[in-house]
Amino acid sequence: MARPRKPLLSRDRIVATAGTLVDAEGLAALSTRRLAAELGVSGPSLYNHFRTKDEILDAVADAVSAKIDLSMFAADDLRDWRTALHDWAVSYRAALADHPNLVPLLAQGPGRRPAGLKVADAVFGAMVRAGWPPAQATRIGALMRYFITGSALGSFARGFVDDETAYDPADYPHLGQAHLLAERREQVDEAAFETGLRALLDGLAMQYEAGVRESWGTERSAGPGAKGSSGRSS
């Protein structure tokens, strides 16, 4: 009976295996030797597909970026810029939440990674189409990345221990319920993210309306394609 053939080594298989390893054990666990062992191949065979370990990590990070929904930024999508940013941010954070060990790498920016660059391009293009000046559109993309990756770097609720005696009322009079946060981690962290996101978007909407009044003038803001008080653009 013939031996079963080993699966052919491919870029996709290398990236998937490397991603599983990083998800399970962290970035430090990934080495070409360890990855080759997981794949059941010799180390040098990896270099037929990737020149360095950093290239493999970039591909793994880009695979995560490719999971982020960008449909709300399509030119024919009917969502206004504020709703689009909200929906994108939720999708972005969900992708990061599935791969927390990769967040420090993704937080550094897209570099040359194609999917990461598509994310940046989509956000910038949509903001400019909505009427934001290019410089401000760039800042919006930056601040959204700061906020989303920052929220995914760690859990606020998990930062407290599940031990009532750890928070003596004499020392911490306002932390009497802090020991309950850990068991409610998902609820607390999700609500905190949504609260922060809405506050951020409220602030942007105020800037947007101020820009309409000060830079575009009454005639343009009152005509076809006007931007309303909610930040909608047609």
Side-chain angles (χ1 to χ4, degrees), residues 61-73 87-96 106 115-116 118-120 123 148:
D62 216 34
V64 174
S65 294
K67 297 178 181 179
I68 301 169
D69 183 13
L70 299 177
S71 63
M72 65 288 296
F73 296 131
D87 294 350
W88 167 69
V90 171
S91 174
Y92 191 171
R93 184 172 182 269
L96 297 185
L106 288 159
K118 285 182 180 179
V119 172
V123 175
I148 297 165

Side-chain angles (χ1 to χ4, degrees), residues 87-153:
D87 294 350
W88 167 69
V90 171
S91 174
Y92 191 171
R93 184 172 182 269
L96 297 185
D98 287 340
H99 306 278
N101 291 334
L102 281 165
V103 174
L105 180 59
L106 288 159
Q108 295 173 16
R112 297 175 181 270
R113 298 191 292 269
L117 290 170
K118 285 182 180 179
V119 172
D121 182 74
V123 175
F124 179 81
M127 294 306 99
V128 171
R129 282 199 309 275
W132 287 98
Q136 190 67 354
T138 298
R139 297 183 191 113
I140 290 171
L143 74 88
M144 294 298 290
R145 181 159 63 84
Y146 298 155
F147 174 70
I148 297 165
T149 57
S151 73
L153 278 172

Side-chain angles (χ1 to χ4, degrees), residues 11-25:
R11 286 181 64 92
D12 288 346
R13 187 170 168 236
I14 292 170
V15 171
T17 303
T20 298
L21 180 58
V22 171
D23 284 343
E25 301 183 32

Side-chain angles (χ1 to χ4, degrees), residues 217-227 234:
T218 304
E219 181 177 349
R220 178 171 178 179
S221 64
K227 283 75 178 175
S234 54

